[in-house]
Structure formats: C-alpha cells, structure tokens
Amino acid sequence: MTRTIVASATREIIIGFDQPFCVIGERINPTGRKKLAAEMIEGNFDTVIKDALEQVAAGATMLDVNAGVTSVNPNETEPGLLVQTLEIVQGLVDVPLSIDSSVTAAIEAGLRVAKGRPLVNSVTGEEEKLEAILPLVKKYDVPVVAISNDETGISMDPDVRFAVAKKIVERAMDHGIKPHDIVVDPLVMPIGALGDAGRQVFALLHRLRNELKVNTTCGLSNISFGLPHRHGINAGFIPMVIGAGMTSAIMNPCRPQEMEAVRAANVLNGTDANCSNWIMTYRDHKPAEAGQPAAAAASPAGAGGGRRGGRAARAGAGAARE
C-alpha cells in the first residue's frame, strides 16, 4: 500500500489510500490576496498567524505555505520571505507543512529551515524544473507534488496528463526517489468551462492509483471556478473524488460544508475507524432551521473566508479559489 509520510517536528501524518483524506490548508498564500501580500511585504504576519491557527482549528491535516508576493524579482524577494513565514507558522502549529513556490531558490531555502519532513510543492514535467527540483527532493529526503503539465502547457487530453505524471515518476526514480514520495496533481479543470472535467479527473485517478500506484492531490476548488454557489459544487466533488482514489487536496478547511463532506467521505470510505472522528465532531450537532444552510448549523471553530488565486493559476490553469 502506497504511503507518503510527512511530518512536523512533533507530528507525523501518512497520506495513503487506507488513510483519512489529507486536507492541506490553502490560505497562507498571497496569490490573488492583495491585502495579505502587502502585509507580508511590510513584515506584518498578523493574517498569516490568524490563517494558520484557524485552519488547524477547522481540521486541516497540513498547511500549505506560499510567500509569492510579487512577480518582480521573485528570486531575490521570495526565499527570505518564505523562510520567515515558515518559521512563524511552524512555531505556531504542530501540523506538517507544504513548501509552496515556483522559485527553486525559495524551495531550497525553505527546506533548510523546515522541521520534520515537509512536502515540496511542486515540480512539473518541464526539463528545467525536473533538473532543479528533483535533486533537492533527494538531498532532503522529502516528498514532492508532481503537477501534470510540461513545456507544452496543460493538455486538455487526460491521457497526455497521465503521460506527464508517469514521466515525472520515472525521472524521480532515476534520482533514487521512490514513487511513494511522489504526490501527483492531475490538474482539475473548471467544470463550468469543460463539461467532462469531473469525469476526466475520476478516470485519471483510477490510472494513477492502479498503474503508477501514487498518492494524489489537487487544488480542489478549481472544479467550481466561474460558477455560482461554488461551495456546493466543491462539497459534491469531494466524496466523488475521494471515492475515485484521491488522497489529499489543497483546500480551505474553514468552509464547514466542505469539511463536512470530507469527514463524511472518510466515514463511508472506511478510514474513520468506528466513525469516531465524525461522532466527536458532530455529536452536539443541531439540525438546521428552515431556510438555514445545513453546514451553518455546525460550523467548526475558526470558520472563515476563502482565498483567491493559487497554485492552478501558477501552473497556467487560470482557475482561482474563492
């Protein structure tokens, strides 16, 4: 059974087919969040601290940490800021972290200060990225997110995206990196623009699990980009994508409706032993009153807003989070 181990200084998490779904909190990311970017540039980390604590309180298994505040000279600005952000976050919470950057120097700087066994986010199938990131993954003995696009961009053909994922896994093995340390992102497309985006992902997940035997992740809310009531789509997508084999997602854990769907999927998938987490979370649940959304009746502590922008935009999918 494929198991990807991530860890903080004090806590180990396993991402795997027989494990509860891994929720990677997305909110510590200034992409598309002008106020957060401005704060971080000024050295103000109040929102970062608030987002870190709220996401863990809401049930995040891990936290993604990104410091891409500007596209101007990121090789100069991002490494130091990412290090500072990582050190603040890992001093606050005990969950493992995902080091999220498209700047190689920032990833390396982050790996030098990160405690435990963080997840590197990410590498693509581009030759330049493979040659830059895979040696770091091997050197620091950490897992990495593999995004299924290359020099040609993001293909609308799921078979091409699978081929890119396979290429990354094979190149990683050439560097001595085992498949269990590759977490593939098959790239979720917006269902409003591509009507079979859901079916594409479900088919890809079956192949990634059964043929490559790798764990998987995605920018979950990309599926609902451009549609009204996005959280309803996201909440419906979660149990379907988990049933198809996805083992983690970068998402906003402060959305009660979506976290309820995650917890329910864990129960139905048999990864919440004796329904214990569900019972602990919802034993005092009060049914929604008429006209009130059901998820609002049992909002976990720390429920808050979402973020816009993110990793799919960086990869070129053009899909933002709400």
Side-chain angles (χ1 to χ4, degrees), residues 11 36 58 86 102 117 125 134 147 158 177 200 211 249 294 297 299:
R11 184 175 176 184
L36 176 58
L86 285 166
S102 58
R117 196 169 196 255
L134 292 181
I147 300 181
I177 302 164
Q200 282 192 7
E211 296 180 38
S299 299

Side-chain angles (χ1 to χ4, degrees), residues 223-295:
I223 192 70
S224 63
F225 178 67
L227 293 176
H229 187 39
R230 293 184 65 185
H231 308 300
I233 295 289
N234 297 344
F237 183 58
I238 286 167
M240 295 183 74
V241 82
I242 292 175
M246 187 164 278
T247 51
S248 70
I250 299 173
M251 57 182 284
N252 185 353
C254 298
R255 296 294 186 186
Q257 185 177 6
E258 294 168 31
M259 285 301 292
E260 186 175 280
V262 168
R263 295 185 181 107
N266 286 337
V267 169
L268 298 171
N269 209 29
T271 56
D272 181 359
N274 301 312
C275 306
S276 57
N277 186 59
W278 180 270
I279 292 168
M280 181 178 66
T281 305
Y282 297 111
R283 61 189 169 192
D284 297 323
H285 173 77
K286 294 180 176 58
E289 296 179 3
Q292 179 188 20

Side-chain angles (χ1 to χ4, degrees), residues 1-289:
M1 189 65 72
T2 302
R3 293 187 168 191
T4 303
I5 296 174
V6 291
S8 65
T10 59
R11 184 175 176 184
E12 181 179 283
I13 296 295
I14 300 173
I15 303 173
F17 307 130
D18 60 344
Q19 300 295 311
F21 191 68
C22 180
V23 175
I24 305 172
E26 71 178 9
R27 289 190 51 76
I28 304 174
N29 189 330
T31 306
R33 297 179 71 187
K34 292 182 180 180
K35 181 177 180 292
L36 176 58
E39 288 180 359
M40 292 175 71
I41 289 170
E42 294 170 358
N44 177 354
F45 292 91
D46 288 349
T47 300
V48 168
I49 292 169
K50 176 176 176 288
D51 284 345
L53 295 173
E54 284 187 350
Q55 289 184 102
V56 173
T61 316
M62 298 178 59
L63 296 182
D64 190 71
V65 178
N66 183 297
V69 296
T70 176
S71 59
V72 179
N73 298 324
N75 287 303
E76 297 178 9
T77 60
E78 196 165 327
L81 188 57
L82 181 59
V83 164
Q84 192 174 4
T85 308
L86 285 166
E87 290 180 330
I88 289 170
V89 172
Q90 67 187 1
L92 287 171
V93 299
D94 68 345
V95 299
L97 303 182
S98 166
I99 301 173
D100 185 356
S101 179
S102 58
V103 177
T104 302
I107 288 177
E108 184 165 19
L111 285 169
R112 285 197 293 265
V113 301
K115 297 177 181 178
R117 196 169 196 255
L119 176 67
V120 169
N121 184 9
S122 56
V123 67
T124 67
E126 299 165 275
E127 287 299 322
E128 181 180 356
K129 285 295 183 182
L130 291 168
E131 291 305 312
I133 301 300
L134 292 181
L136 291 177
V137 171
K138 176 62 177 177
K139 176 181 177 181
Y140 288 91
D141 185 29
V142 292
V144 63
V145 173
I147 300 181
S148 302
N149 71 288
D150 57 16
E151 291 88 351
T152 64
I154 299 173
S155 174
M156 294 299 103
D157 184 343
D159 290 336
V160 172
R161 299 209 298 277
F162 177 83
V164 174
K166 183 178 180 182
K167 169 189 172 181
I168 298 173
V169 170
E170 290 174 345
R171 291 291 294 276
M173 291 177 68
D174 290 341
H175 285 267
I177 302 164
K178 302 294 186 182
H180 63 246
D181 277 334
I182 307 297
V183 181
V184 172
D185 182 347
L187 291 171
V188 172
M189 302 298 172
I191 193 74
L194 189 67
D196 66 344
R199 293 193 302 272
Q200 282 192 7
V201 171
F202 305 147
L204 268 169
L205 288 170
H206 283 298
R207 295 191 67 189
L208 290 167
R209 174 170 178 161
N210 296 324
E211 296 180 38
L212 294 187
K213 298 182 177 11
V214 291
N215 281 309
T216 44
T217 196
C218 71
L220 187 106
S221 63
N222 295 339
I223 192 70
S224 63
F225 178 67
L227 293 176
H229 187 39
R230 293 184 65 185
H231 308 300
I233 295 289
N234 297 344
F237 183 58
I238 286 167
M240 295 183 74
V241 82
I242 292 175
M246 187 164 278
T247 51
S248 70
I250 299 173
M251 57 182 284
N252 185 353
C254 298
R255 296 294 186 186
Q257 185 177 6
E258 294 168 31
M259 285 301 292
E260 186 175 280
V262 168
R263 295 185 181 107
N266 286 337
V267 169
L268 298 171
N269 209 29
T271 56
D272 181 359
N274 301 312
C275 306
S276 57
N277 186 59
W278 180 270
I279 292 168
M280 181 178 66
T281 305
Y282 297 111
R283 61 189 169 192
D284 297 323
H285 173 77
K286 294 180 176 58
E289 296 179 3

